[in-house]
Amino acid sequence: MIHSDRTIPALPDTVDSRIGPLHYDVGCPTPDTSQRLFDEMDFQRAVQAYLWAYPAVSFESIRLVAKDDLGIDAFDLGIADNFVDPKSLWLTANDTTIYAFVNFDVSRGPVVIEIPPGAIVGLVDDFWQKSLVDVGLPGPYAGDGGKFLVLPPGHEGDEVHEGYYTVRAHMHDHNMLVRGIIVDGDVPDAVQRIRNVKVYPWSDREAPTPNRFVSISGAPIDTRPPGGMEFWKRLSRVIDNNPVQEHDRFHMAMLKPLGIEKGKPFRPDDRQTRILEEALELGDAMARNVMYENSSRISGATAFPGTQWDWVILVRPDQEAEHYSQLDERLQYTYGAIYLSPGIGRMEPGPGATYIQAFKDRDGNHFDGGRSYRLHIPANPPAAAFWSLTLYDTATRSMVQNATNDAARSGYDDLAVNADGSLDLFLAPEPADSPETNWIQTVPGRGFYPMFRLYSPTAPAFDGTWALPDVDPA
């Protein structure tokens, strides 16, 4: 017989917790406590699932809205042939670039992408916004053009085909974005360059059907992830159409009690609906906090020491750090933007782009659309292609919708320049005494934030010899 002087206390009949008192009957939860604990467990899992799922639902929203509102189907290219209109809601798109995008699904077989030679910068992401390959200038063919072959997960057969750069996908759904860089002010040439892009099934390679191009310029569409149950419905579609990857199996288990399960229709009951709706509201607040307060959460966020400017992209193209997957870093970026690749957010000179954003002025206050501000841009911005500054609405993370219908200024514009080569941009509801060429209109009653882009950044952007000063309140 084992004797012990240690007395093991019994579980109290009631335990206080952050969700209220929990009641026990001889150590077992009462029926009411049991149900509250299951509800809380599922609520916590749903909040985390929202934060995890945001990049996939964002791409699914682009696919669905483009199809339903503009008739853009798989292998069709939506093209901003007259730039993106600020009336369209896209997460941090800009109105200084010729964009085009295409959705494709490799579940039925490999897909071919043909990129023409010339000044094109592009990328292919899967729907988790993980980078598959860069195309155009930052890609393996540089600016010479070339063919890419995207193989489905589990593809059996030859992986190497002469004349193709081959990549293996990890899921079925993909989105490709290409930008036509404007050379010497020739916008029609940049548009035509993009119109020479081709995407088609490998099985059609002998005689591919010409791609259909649909203009998205001026289209008042909203491609952002939705609120309410529609968010979860779109997540369910992505899960059902794609293989479950090993690192997502725990998320699949957490979603199952909430009615989201691969191979089964999404038909949540009243309890599941209530939990999912409440979780989305809190999850969205958390995501907004991670984005706007990222410098207090993620190390290395500050772009220029002593300023309010942060690097926009703090997540790696594969979203993996040495010892963990970059959950907060991925959320910080994809809540406010779309598309990842080695060429976007590059921290060294070369083809591609790097972005910088600020959420506060020099005095540490958030930007108010009813106030006036000045941004001094030192001479010789470190961009071999061009630079731009775009203003985004804090509520929508899309371009500010102002009376001028213009949210940006760039190195392409005919701006008033100071004697030393620097220039000043004015962010205000009215131009006042500033040159209108250098003015971007803000909207009273709305918050905003500026994003500065450097296309094909050069060394001064990273070696400390060039820096943006803080935005000054006027």
Side-chain angles (χ1 to χ4, degrees):
M1 180 179 293
I2 299 176
H3 298 279
S4 175
D5 294 331
R6 184 165 64 92
T7 302
I8 300 175
L11 186 70
D13 292 339
T14 301
V15 176
D16 290 330
S17 76
R18 64 186 297 164
I19 62 171
L22 305 176
H23 302 292
Y24 294 89
D25 178 19
V26 294
C28 299
T30 64
D32 175 70
T33 289
S34 175
Q35 188 59 58
R36 281 197 295 126
L37 287 170
F38 279 131
D39 286 351
E40 180 65 16
M41 184 167 66
D42 288 341
F43 172 77
Q44 291 186 15
R45 289 176 171 181
V47 171
Q48 295 307 310
Y50 176 85
L51 304 179
W52 159 79
Y54 206 86
V57 176
S58 185
F59 264 19
E60 170 63 7
S61 297
I62 293 172
R63 184 199 69 82
L64 189 64
V65 170
K67 181 178 180 180
D68 290 351
D69 292 5
L70 301 177
I72 299 174
D73 215 331
F75 297 110
D76 295 337
L77 280 85
I79 182 171
D81 48 359
N82 192 27
F83 303 99
V84 176
D85 194 304
K87 292 186 178 68
S88 301
L89 295 179
W90 294 81
L91 293 180
T92 50
N94 68 70
D95 57 0
T96 60
T97 306
I98 302 299
Y99 286 111
F101 73 93
V102 59
N103 291 293
F104 62 90
D105 181 343
V106 297
S107 63
R108 297 184 180 180
V111 168
V112 176
I113 298 167
E114 290 189 31
I115 301 297
I120 288 178
V121 174
L123 59 97
V124 181
D125 280 359
D126 67 25
F127 265 33
W128 288 108
Q129 300 196 39
K130 282 193 173 183
S131 172
L132 199 65
V133 67
D134 275 354
V135 300
L137 292 173
Y141 295 113
D144 295 334
K147 295 182 180 180
F148 297 80
L149 178 62
V150 182
L151 300 178
H155 175 76
E156 296 181 0
D158 293 337
E159 294 192 15
V160 178
H161 295 271
E162 186 176 354
Y164 294 85
Y165 185 90
T166 303
V167 290
R168 181 177 290 278
H170 299 288
M171 64 186 302
H172 296 150
D173 288 317
H174 293 82
N175 184 310
M176 181 177 74
L177 176 76
V178 286
R179 300 178 180 90
I181 303 300
I182 300 170
V183 179
D184 297 329
D186 193 340
V187 174
D189 177 65
V191 172
Q192 185 56 52
R193 211 177 308 130
I194 293 300
R195 287 186 175 276
N196 291 333
V197 171
K198 299 177 183 179
V199 187
Y200 51 87
W202 169 254
S203 57
D204 296 346
R205 62 191 179 279
E206 298 299 331
T209 301
N211 292 104
R212 191 169 71 100
F213 285 80
V214 179
S215 177
I216 62 172
S217 296
I221 58 175
D222 186 351
T223 66
R224 300 171 303 152
M229 294 304 291
E230 182 63 23
F231 180 94
W232 302 106
K233 180 181 177 182
R234 293 180 188 183
L235 173 60
S236 178
R237 207 289 309 182
V238 173
I239 289 173
D240 210 39
N241 192 57
N242 290 280
V244 175
Q245 299 181 53
E246 188 66 27
H247 52 66
D248 290 331
R249 291 177 63 83
F250 274 120
H251 283 98
M252 298 301 105
M254 291 192 290
L255 288 167
K256 186 173 180 291
L258 292 161
I260 300 176
E261 187 174 359
K262 184 173 176 59
K264 293 186 178 181
F266 178 47
R267 295 171 183 164
D269 59 26
D270 291 344
R271 170 186 172 273
Q272 292 166 329
T273 297
R274 172 177 55 81
I275 290 172
L276 288 169
E277 288 179 338
E278 291 176 354
L280 183 141
E281 291 180 358
L282 182 58
D284 190 74
M286 289 179 174
R288 183 174 295 272
N289 188 46
V290 168
M291 176 181 169
Y292 290 122
E293 298 296 330
N294 66 80
S295 59
S296 64
R297 180 81 172 181
I298 303 172
S299 61
T302 302
F304 306 120
T307 73
Q308 304 286 354
W309 291 100
D310 292 338
W311 300 114
V312 173
I313 302 176
L314 302 171
V315 59
R316 299 178 183 180
D318 62 359
Q319 304 170 13
E320 298 295 333
E322 182 180 2
H323 301 299
Y324 64 93
S325 296
Q326 294 181 301
L327 180 61
D328 283 353
E329 294 89 344
R330 180 179 76 165
L331 177 65
Q332 174 270 335
Y333 178 71
T334 60
Y335 185 74
I338 43 180
Y339 298 106
L340 278 170
S341 87
I344 295 182
R346 65 178 303 132
M347 301 298 288
E348 61 184 12
T354 195
Y355 307 154
I356 309 156
Q357 63 192 359
F359 302 122
K360 297 176 182 178
D361 64 18
R362 183 183 299 278
D363 296 336
N365 298 314
H366 294 119
F367 295 104
D368 182 341
R371 299 188 63 190
S372 298
Y373 302 87
R374 178 183 71 97
L375 171 62
H376 180 73
I377 301 177
N380 303 314
F386 74 102
W387 63 267
S388 70
L389 182 91
T390 308
L391 302 189
Y392 295 99
D393 186 290
T394 53
T396 66
R397 292 96 66 209
S398 300
M399 287 182 285
V400 294
Q401 296 185 340
N402 52 26
T404 64
N405 201 39
D406 188 355
R409 290 292 179 268
S410 77
Y412 290 145
D413 297 325
D414 185 14
L415 303 173
V417 179
N418 302 321
D420 64 354
S422 67
L423 58 92
D424 296 289
L425 295 182
F426 299 90
L427 323 175
E430 300 294 337
D433 296 329
S434 62
E436 288 202 29
T437 55
N438 293 39
W439 168 59
I440 307 176
Q441 187 178 41
T442 60
V443 181
R446 307 286 302 194
F448 72 91
Y449 60 96
M451 182 181 293
F452 195 81
R453 289 176 167 90
L454 298 166
Y455 290 93
S456 295
T458 57
F462 312 107
D463 63 15
T465 59
W466 188 94
L468 270 181
D470 280 325
V471 179
D472 283 313

